[in-house]
Amino acid sequence: MWLLLLSLFLLSLPGCFPIQGPQLVRGPEQGSLTVQCRYDPGWEHNGKWWCRGANWRFCQILVETTGSEQEVKKGRVSIRDNQRDRLITVTTQDLRRDDEDAYWCGIKKPGPDLGARVSLIIEPQGGHLSQSKSLLSGTAAKNNGGVSSGSIRNHYMLLVFVKVPILLLLVGAILWLKRPQRAPEEQSEEPIYTNLSSDLAANRAP
């Protein structure tokens, strides 16, 4: 049990994900919605994108930047990268009921891109919330704009090359501290001493 708790603790350490966005956002039907994602230093000049679809590999990129701070607009969606504050801002106009879906806020880079999943729910006119689609349910994410567990392309690489080795080192250290203590040398030599005493007694006997 303590190993499981230790693993969960390591997986929840802050600063593990280069990009973070809100877990869930709600927008009014026929209104507008703005989503903001923050990223770590070092990614300022990489291209940023906004992608739709629950499956990361097959999501549809709706709009993307060119690596600059210039706003890019395509259809009802616009994206802007504030490189000074390291903040990606995506705005969708004229929201529709069928806009309710899973989206990704991402960063281009060599190899697998970086991304954070954002679930969008549309509030229909009249104030009644629509039922969440099944693809939006079960999304596990950190509170306060955390990143969904297992929903980042490099998550498993981070898990394999960083978190698992740390966990193994901790477990190894605990097992090493709990190893059986070696018996004192004086105790290990006691049977030999006893045998020698018995032999001497036998030789002195008539």
Side-chain angles (χ1 to χ4, degrees):
M1 177 61 70
W2 62 271
L3 287 176
L4 177 60
L5 294 176
L6 182 59
S7 301
L8 294 175
F9 170 74
L10 290 175
L11 293 175
S12 64
L13 290 176
C16 293
F17 302 107
I19 180 172
Q20 295 184 348
Q23 172 190 2
L24 179 68
V25 293
R26 301 177 186 271
E29 186 179 6
Q30 298 184 358
S32 64
L33 174 68
T34 297
V35 177
Q36 293 185 323
C37 300
R38 294 190 178 275
Y39 55 89
D40 290 347
W43 304 103
E44 288 85 352
H45 301 292
N46 292 64
K48 313 302 189 303
W49 46 258
W50 180 251
C51 189
R52 176 176 181 173
N55 191 318
W56 170 276
R57 294 184 178 181
F58 303 104
C59 70
Q60 177 187 3
I61 294 181
L62 302 179
V63 64
E64 58 183 314
T65 70
T66 58
S68 67
E69 291 187 314
Q70 184 177 0
E71 183 182 48
V72 178
K73 186 174 183 179
K74 187 175 181 180
R76 298 180 293 121
V77 185
S78 64
I79 185 171
R80 184 173 183 179
D81 180 18
N82 185 335
Q83 297 177 357
R84 184 184 63 180
D85 297 331
R86 300 188 300 277
L87 187 67
I88 304 170
T89 302
V90 179
T91 302
T92 304
Q93 303 286 345
D94 189 23
L95 289 171
R96 305 167 184 171
R97 293 289 296 275
D98 59 3
D99 287 331
E100 184 170 292
D101 208 337
Y103 294 82
W104 300 84
C105 194
I107 302 174
K108 283 186 175 181
K109 76 175 188 66
D113 289 351
L114 305 173
R117 176 168 171 162
V118 180
S119 298
L120 169 59
I121 292 181
I122 302 300
E123 298 179 351
Q125 291 181 337
H128 298 289
L129 293 178
S130 61
Q131 294 292 332
S132 301
K133 292 183 179 180
S134 58
L135 56 87
L136 299 180
S137 62
T139 303
K142 294 188 293 183
N143 294 329
N144 299 324
V147 179
S148 172
S149 177
S151 65
I152 295 183
R153 286 185 180 180
N154 69 333
H155 174 264
Y156 294 105
M157 296 178 63
L158 182 67
L159 178 66
V160 171
F161 294 106
V162 179
K163 296 178 181 178
V164 170
I166 293 177
L167 177 61
L168 292 177
L169 287 175
L170 291 176
V171 173
I174 294 174
L175 294 177
W176 184 83
L177 292 174
K178 291 186 176 182
R179 74 189 192 284
Q181 297 294 327
R182 183 180 176 184
E185 294 184 0
E186 292 80 6
Q187 295 182 5
S188 62
E189 295 177 356
E190 184 176 355
I192 300 176
Y193 176 79
T194 303
N195 293 336
L196 291 175
S197 299
S198 300
D199 293 341
L200 290 174
N203 292 334
R204 291 177 180 178

